[in-house]
């Protein structure tokens, strides 16, 4: 150490200026670095005093101030622990130090070395400790702020350590850390410093990590005062609102800071203030994300956090969804609890919450599905959400996710053949939704758009593979929905093509411009009705029609063409949108997109269909190489809607058929599907070359002669199409019958079954194919049914085969009757004048054959199937034969000209439904219910209404006909089925039938189609049930009868039925006479039971608001009034009758007790029945004028008949409804004399009529005439009761009169008197 002191004196420093001063300071600084700490400071006294002078401390030059600071730092080091300056001067020195430390920020500056030197010396000596004794709190805070502002990411670790040492030392020496100083540290942990000043953020964390002991208490006090749930003293600070961020940061630094605060967060998230709860859940989510140990060390936090998924506030639940999805991805340990909570939110009552769950989960699954795989299926249910926002979000998000993952899989592997795991159900659900929402045009349009544009990849090669993959997993219902979508597309194509044709005709300004314009308007109206906003769609079409841009018309042509490739379709759609956007406002553009997309072949164009067919042919030529199930299903469905897709691919189709035939029996399913394709494209195949058609026909004939009944039937159906040209048809069928004849007469087995199936298809579609020897052929087929077999002479397999042949033979005979009758009707429509004689003779033979076949089927049912081979077969085989007979009768009953109901008669007609109670076969009961439903619903089923292109016209017309609505009463026979599943299934089928027949009756204004109008058939069926007699004698409750009737009535009343119409029908039954019984007691007993059930079931619907339509009882079941006078309405219920407990409930529960609704009077069974005044309280609805307002149950007189006939001629009715008209029309009274009847007390009737309010104009006129006659003296003496006194029943309500039949009969009697 240089004891003589530095070479520069204090005077020199004070006197020097400019560069001389800088030179002196540099020299002094250099010398001071070598001077060690000592107790003798005399040699530095003058320099120290000069350095502490204001001239240097407040000098303008930055270098002077920096050098002065460096020198002072050494002076303090040498003087330590003392100081050469007074307190006031020392404050100025520290101010200089603090200000000069700002220069450390620039690590690349020319003076950085001296700044670093200053920092190092101050940190080494801990000089700032002196500042604490000076009580300079502001200067201490300024020191912290300067260091935080000066730190930089470019600093070395040494610089950072010196900064930390200075600040940590200062904090350690403070007795109390003031809040401003604490804020100076904490403000670097929050935004924007956290992001913009990363070095300061890191420095603050480092300080907090090293000063836990010093900062724990002040931080706890500060944050405790910040918590909304705390009652502690509030500490003023600008960072109060940042307490959630600070808690997260401090938790990640050291949990010691927040160990007393975190448990209080459960109270924070339970507070009433919504914003506070939002902050609380966000804080907990960040804590769990940053460190899962928080949930382990503080157990109450996680359950409290999860409970916020059910918070009353929607914003809180929305926030929880975002936090929950993020946490599931970050912390797998708590994923199970969070997934369960998220699953519950999928069904949240708030639409926004449901949509948020769907969006958040789908976004999180963009790269990986497995984490949320358990939620995706539940989210899939939201595609049918009732609210549009949640529904659209679910559909769009799931489709986008499906497309993303499917594209990735197809890109990764050329052999990919499955949908993305966890989303394979999505196409099925979308199509199910499309099929179920037939009435919601907006929803269906959205589904169409998603299925075509969002669900599948946009790359054309991958798109074709994706369509096949998607289609492979579709079941029958979903394929029907897809076919419905394709039908809409085809209809739109045809309408648009016709519109373009008319538009061009209008441009040419021909003579028929008005006609063309009217037709074009109808087409536009039809297309607009398929859009959710028909008015705006009409405006769009008006703009399209007014456009002079020829490219618009060309775009429409390409969009409606089946041959336009997918890539070109996308280009054309965008061009069409761009051109229309120049004429329309943005709100119209979604409709423009819909108009462009609906006809476009975005699924499969002609080239794509040929590619798929080529792949199928190649795969069949190399069996077991590739699974082609999806491709074949796709071809079948696409060609059914668009036969023209394979218009020029007959050769490839023949090649595929040949390959399937060569592949053997293992590819029978593929052959079956190819035959369906052949049937669908038969109109196009008719234009193929003779060689191609000959090859296909040859293979079809081979299939007809095979041992596969399904293949043979489909092949025969193909032969009846336009594929087989008329010039070759007769010869082809002749040769085919020659080959089939040995199988028909030979041993029963697969060969015979195939031959019978072929005959059934030919007989139904083209009876002329059976040739001139049809009568002999049918006798042979009938012999297959009736030919007996000796017991024990035939082995069981052969016997079973013969029983199956019996069933198929019945099918052949029934189909031939249907086909012949349909062909006769089509011939008679246009050739009656020419073929009058032969036609009548042919019709007589047809009727005779129909009668024989009806008798045969009825006999089979009556003898329980014990006929022919089935007589010695098993009970199951006999049940199948009975079922086949019932099916044959139902098939023929669809054809009005066969008059099956009349040929059967009521008693034998009842037996048709016996298969629903077949005690020997559960399968037959289920099959019968399904068959009955199918035949009843034929007029409403799309696949039955759809045209079978290429099929015979008569067959196409006949397949639309269904059973009359009164056949639906047979479902009630399932009410006592021992299998609950069968009861449930029958109820569902009956409900569907009732709903559709209600719609048909309302659409065509025909009350005879209403399910309520079938009540007479129901009552008659169970009045003549085989078990009713025994039940009537032994069971006063009539248990089964109650269950039968309630099964039907409950379903009818559950579909917004006309309660008054049911009461009217049962009142009419009570007055009518049964044709099938001498006294008709059974019908009246069952009618009384029905009346009781109706009264109780309809107790809440007693006052109907609908006008009761007029109906008649079926004349085949009940006598007309002109044939036999009506009887009186008397109580025929057995003694002790009570309604069952199950009556009035949603389902037929087991009989666990008896609920007394109404009991008959105590009398003997055979005592004289008492007269009923009121069975049920009639509806008080006033009946007005005209046909629609006739009184309840009034028979139709002659004038009303003419009105009905005129209305029927003006209505566009289905053929099945015309059939019903023919059956029910016989009950109308032609001569107008519908009063009838002499029975009953004339006086009582007159008194009741006198007080009754008029129901119609005729009723009012008759009543006025009656009053006039009474005024003349005729009415008083005759109106006496049984006691001989003249009593009048006072009626307080006009609706409580006798039923209209009795009113009209009493009026007639009075007039005669």
């Amino acid at each position: 150490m240089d004891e003589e002191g530095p070479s520069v004196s204090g005077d020199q420093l004070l006197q020097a200026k400019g560069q001389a001063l800088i030179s002196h300071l540099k020299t002094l600084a250099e010398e001071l670095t070598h001077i060690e700490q000592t107790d003798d400071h005399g040699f530095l006294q003058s320099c120290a005093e000069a350095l502490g002078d204001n001239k240097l401390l407040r000098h303008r030059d930055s270098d002077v101030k920096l050098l002065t600071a460096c020198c002072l730092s050494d002076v303090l080091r040498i003087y330590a622990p003392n100081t050469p300056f007074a307190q006031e001067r020392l404050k100025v020195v520290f101010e200089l130090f603090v200000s000069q430390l700002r220069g450390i920020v620039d690590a690349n500056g020319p003076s950085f070395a001296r700044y670093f030197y200053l920092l190092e010396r101050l940190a080494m000596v801990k000089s700032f400790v002196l500042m604490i004794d000076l009580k300079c709190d502001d200067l201490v805070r300024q020191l912290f702020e300067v260091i935080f502002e000066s730190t930089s990411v470019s600093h070395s670790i040494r610089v950072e350590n010196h900064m930390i040492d200075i600040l940590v030392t200062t904090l350690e020496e403070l007795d109390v850390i003031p809040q401003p100083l604490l804020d100076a540290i904490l403000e670097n942990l929050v935004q924007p410093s956290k992001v913009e000043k990363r070095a300061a953020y890191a420095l603050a964390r480092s300080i907090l990590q090293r000063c836990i002991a010093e900062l724990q208490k002040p931080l706890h006090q500060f944050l405790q005062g910040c918590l909304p749930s705390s009652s502690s003293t509030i500490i003023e600070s600008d960072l109060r609102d940042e307490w959630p961020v600070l808690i997260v940061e401090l938790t990640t630094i050291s949990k010691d800071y927040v160990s007393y605060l975190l448990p209080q967060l459960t109270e924070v998230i339970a507070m009433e203030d919504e914003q506070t709860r939002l902050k609380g859940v966000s804080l907990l989510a960040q804590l769990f994300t940053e460190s899962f140990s928080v949930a382990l060390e503080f157990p109450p936090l996680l359950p409290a956090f999860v409970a916020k998924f059910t918070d009353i506030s929607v914003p809180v639940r929305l926030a929880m969804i975002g936090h929950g999805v993020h946490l599931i991805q970050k912390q797998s340990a708590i994923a199970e609890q969070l997934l369960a909570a998220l699953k519950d939110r999928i069904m949240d009552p708030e639409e926004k919450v449901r949509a948020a769950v769907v969006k958040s989960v789908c976004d999180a699954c963009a790269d990986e599905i497995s984490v949320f795989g358990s939620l995706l299926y539940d989210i899939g249910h939201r595609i049918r959400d009732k609210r549009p926002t949640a529904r659209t979000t679910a559909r769009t998000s799931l489709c986008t996710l499906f497309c993303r993952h499917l594209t990735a899989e197809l890109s990764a592997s050329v052999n990919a053949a499955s949908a993305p795991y966890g989303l394979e159900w999505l196409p099925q659900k979308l199509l199910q939704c499309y099929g179920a929402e037939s009435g919601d045009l907006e929803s269906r349009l959205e589904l169409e758009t998603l299925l075509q544009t969002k669900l599948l990849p946009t790359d054309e090669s991958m798109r074709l593979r994706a369509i096949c993959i998607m289609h492979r997993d579709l079941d029958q219902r979903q394929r029907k929905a897809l076919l419905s979508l394709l039908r809409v597309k085809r209809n739109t194509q045809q309408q648009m093509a016709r519109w373009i044709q008319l538009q061009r005709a209008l441009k040419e300004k021909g003579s028929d411009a008005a006609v063309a314009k009217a037709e074009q308007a109808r087409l536009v109206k039809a297309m607009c009705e398929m859009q959710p906003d028909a008015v705006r769609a009409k405006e769009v079409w008006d703009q399209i029609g007014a456009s002079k841009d020829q490219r618009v018309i060309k775009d429409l042509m390409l969009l409606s063409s089946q041959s336009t490739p997918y890539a070109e379709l996308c280009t054309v759609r965008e061009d069409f949108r761009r051109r229309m956007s120049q004429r329309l406002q943005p709100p119209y553009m979604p409709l423009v997109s819909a108009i462009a997309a609906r006809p476009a072949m975005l699924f499969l164009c002609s080239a794509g269909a040929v590619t798929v067919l080529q792949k199928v042919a190649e795969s069949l030529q190399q069996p077991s190489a590739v699974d082609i199930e999806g491709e074949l299903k796709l071809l079948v469905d696409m060609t059914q809607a668009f036969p023209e897709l394979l218009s020029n691919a007959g050769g490839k189709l023949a090649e595929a058929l040949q390959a399937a035939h060569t592949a053997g029996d293992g590819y029978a399913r593929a052959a079956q599907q190819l035959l369906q394709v052949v049937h669908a494209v038969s109109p196009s195949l008719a234009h193929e070359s003779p060689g191609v058609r000959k090859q296909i026909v040859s293979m079809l004939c081979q299939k007809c002669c095979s041992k596969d009944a399904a293949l043979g039937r489909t092949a025969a159906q193909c032969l009846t199409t336009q594929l087989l040209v008329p010039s070759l048809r007769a010869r082809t069928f002749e040769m085919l019958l020659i080959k089939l004849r040995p199988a028909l007469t030979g041993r029963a087995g697969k060969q015979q079954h195939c031959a019978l199936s072929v005959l059934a298809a030919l007989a139904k579609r083209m009876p002329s194919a059976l040739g001139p020897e049809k009568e002999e052929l049918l006798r042979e087929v009938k012999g297959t049914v009736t030919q007996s077999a000796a017991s024990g002479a035939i082995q069981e397999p052969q016997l079973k085969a013969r029983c199956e042949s019996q069933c198929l033979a019945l099918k052949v005979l029934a189909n031939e009757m249907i086909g012949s009758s349909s062909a006769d009707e089509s011939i008679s429509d246009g050739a009656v004048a020419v073929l009058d004689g032969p036609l009548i003779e042919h019709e007589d033979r047809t009727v005779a054959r129909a009668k024989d076949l009806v008798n045969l089927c009825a006999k089979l049912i009556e003898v329980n199937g014990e006929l022919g081979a089935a007589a010695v077969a098993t009970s199951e085989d006999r049940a199948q034969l009975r079922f086949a007979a019932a099916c044959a009768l139902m098939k023929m009953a669809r054809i009005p000209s066969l008059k099956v109901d009349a040929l059967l008669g009521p008693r034998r007609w009842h037996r048709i439904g016996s298969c629903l109670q077949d005690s020997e076969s559960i399968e037959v009961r289920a099959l019968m219910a399904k068959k009955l439903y199918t035949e009843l619903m034929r007029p409403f089923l799309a696949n039955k209404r759809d045209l079978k292109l290429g099929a015979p016209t008569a067959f196409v017309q006949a397949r639309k006909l269904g059973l009359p609505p009164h056949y639906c009463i047979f479902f009630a026979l399932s009410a006592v089925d021992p299998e609950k599943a069968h009861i449930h299934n029958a109820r569902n089928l009956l409900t569907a039938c009732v709903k559709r027949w209600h719609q048909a009756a309302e659409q065509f204004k025909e009350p005879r189609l209403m399910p309520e109008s079938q009540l007479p058939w129901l009552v008659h069926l169970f009045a003549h049930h085989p078990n009713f007699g025994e039940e009537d004698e032994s069971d006063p409750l009539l248990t089964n009868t109650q269950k039968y009737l309630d099964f039907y009535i409950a379903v009818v009343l559950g579909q917004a039925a006309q309660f008054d119409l049911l009461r009217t029908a049962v009142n009419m039954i009570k007055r009518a006479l049964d044709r099938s019984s001498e006294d008709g007691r059974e019908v009246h007993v069952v009618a009384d039971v029905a009346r009781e059930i109706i009264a109780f079931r309809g107790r809440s619907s007693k006052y109907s608001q609908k006008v009761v339509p007029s109906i008649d009882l079926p004349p085949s079941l009940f006598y007309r009034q002109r044939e036999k006078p009506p009887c009186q309405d008397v109580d025929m219920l057995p003694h002790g009758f009570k309604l069952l407990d199950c009556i009035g409930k949603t389902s037929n529960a087991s009989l666990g007790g008896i609920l007394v609704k109404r009991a008959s009077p105590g009398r003997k069974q055979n005592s004289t029945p008492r007269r009923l005044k009121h069975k049920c309280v009639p509806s008080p609805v006033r009946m007005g004028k005209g046909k629609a307002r006739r009184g309840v149950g009034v028979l139709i007189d002659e004038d009303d008949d003419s009105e009905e006939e005129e209305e029927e001629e003006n209505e566009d009715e289905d053929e099945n409804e015309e059939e019903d008209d023919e059956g029910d029309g016989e009950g109308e009274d032609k001569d107008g004399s519908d009063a009838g009847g002499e029975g009953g007390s004339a006086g009582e009737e007159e008194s009741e009529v006198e007080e009754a309010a008029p129901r119609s104009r005729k009723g009012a006129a008759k009543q006025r005439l009656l009053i006039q006659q009474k005024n003349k003296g005729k009415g008083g003496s005759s109106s006496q009761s049984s006691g001989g006194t003249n009593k009048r029943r006072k009626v307080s309500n006009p609706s409580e009169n006798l039923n209209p039949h009795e009113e009209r009969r009493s009026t007639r009697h009075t007039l005669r008197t």
Side-chain angles (χ1 to χ4, degrees), residues 1137-1150:
F1137 173 83
K1138 299 175 183 179
L1139 290 180
L1140 304 176
D1141 279 346
C1142 59
I1143 304 300
K1145 297 183 179 180
T1146 56
S1147 62
N1148 286 331
S1150 59

Side-chain angles (χ1 to χ4, degrees), residues 452-464:
Q452 296 181 110
T453 60
K454 294 288 186 182
L455 185 68
L456 302 172
T458 54
D459 182 78
E460 191 166 3
S461 59
M462 285 195 294
R463 188 178 183 85
L464 187 58

Side-chain angles (χ1 to χ4, degrees), residues 344-536:
D344 293 338
R345 290 309 93 215
I346 295 174
M347 298 295 293
D348 193 277
E350 181 62 36
E351 178 184 12
K352 294 179 181 178
V353 178
R354 300 196 299 273
V357 175
V358 172
K359 187 71 169 61
S360 300
V361 172
C362 290
D363 291 344
C365 291
D367 298 321
E368 181 62 38
I369 292 179
S370 58
V371 178
F372 295 94
S374 60
L375 279 184
L376 284 177
Y377 187 79
D378 295 311
I379 286 176
H381 295 309
R382 293 302 94 211
I383 66 175
R384 296 191 66 179
D385 198 285
K386 293 182 179 180
R387 298 293 182 179
T389 301
R391 181 175 64 224
T392 302
T393 302
R395 292 173 179 178
T396 306
S397 301
L398 288 171
C399 287
T400 303
L401 188 63
F402 182 90
C403 181
R404 180 187 181 93
H405 286 277
L406 182 58
T407 303
E409 291 184 10
L410 293 176
S411 302
S413 173
V414 294
N415 296 324
S418 61
Y421 174 76
L423 289 169
E424 62 278 354
W425 44 264
L426 180 58
Q428 295 94 297
K429 276 190 171 292
L430 290 173
L431 287 171
Q432 284 179 356
C433 188
Y434 182 85
E437 297 184 355
S438 57
D440 191 343
L441 295 179
E442 184 175 0
S443 178
R444 294 196 98 185
L445 179 60
E446 181 182 58
L447 288 168
E448 284 183 33
T449 304
L450 292 173
L451 285 167
Q452 296 181 110
T453 60
K454 294 288 186 182
L455 185 68
L456 302 172
T458 54
D459 182 78
E460 191 166 3
S461 59
M462 285 195 294
R463 188 178 183 85
L464 187 58
R465 293 166 57 197
I467 291 173
C468 296
I469 290 173
M470 177 193 79
H471 201 277
R472 182 181 292 112
D473 299 327
L474 301 182
D475 62 20
Q476 194 61 34
R477 288 186 306 165
Q478 294 148 9
R479 291 177 65 187
K480 286 182 178 179
L482 177 60
L483 194 58
S484 174
L485 188 153
L486 297 177
R487 288 194 190 102
V488 172
K489 189 177 291 292
R490 178 180 177 82
N491 291 339
T492 307
Q493 287 178 355
Q494 295 173 344
Q495 292 167 346
M496 193 170 289
R498 179 58 180 163
W499 185 90
I500 294 171
Q501 183 180 359
L502 293 171
Q503 183 71 6
R504 289 178 172 174
L506 290 173
K507 296 292 184 182
E508 297 175 358
K509 298 181 180 180
S511 57
D512 54 351
V515 177
K517 193 171 183 179
E519 183 180 354
Q520 193 179 54
R522 287 194 297 270
L523 289 172
V524 169
K525 181 181 179 181
M527 289 187 285
C528 292
E529 287 174 351
M530 295 299 294
Q531 299 291 342
D533 191 343
V535 176
R536 283 195 170 185

Side-chain angles (χ1 to χ4, degrees), residues 922-961:
I922 297 177
E923 180 184 5
V924 164
R925 299 203 298 270
L927 291 174
M928 181 63 182
K930 183 179 179 181
K931 182 67 175 177
L932 181 61
Y933 171 80
T934 303
E935 297 297 337
L936 278 165
M937 296 291 283
R938 270 181 179 268
F940 314 110
L941 297 177
N943 61 334
K944 301 300 181 184
R945 297 197 310 267
D946 191 32
L947 292 177
K948 283 280 188 179
L949 298 177
T953 304
F955 163 74
V956 173
Q957 295 174 350
R959 71 193 301 265
K960 302 177 185 178
L961 301 178

Side-chain angles (χ1 to χ4, degrees), residues 1251-1264:
E1251 300 294 334
R1255 301 288 182 115
S1256 63
R1257 291 182 177 180
K1258 292 184 178 181
K1262 293 175 182 178
Q1263 188 171 3
R1264 287 194 297 270

Side-chain angles (χ1 to χ4, degrees), residues 785 787 799 803 806 865-874 877-878 881:
V785 180
Q787 184 180 1
L799 186 60
C803 292
Q806 285 181 288
E866 296 181 1
L867 184 66
V872 295
T874 63
D877 292 329
R878 290 194 295 272
L881 185 58

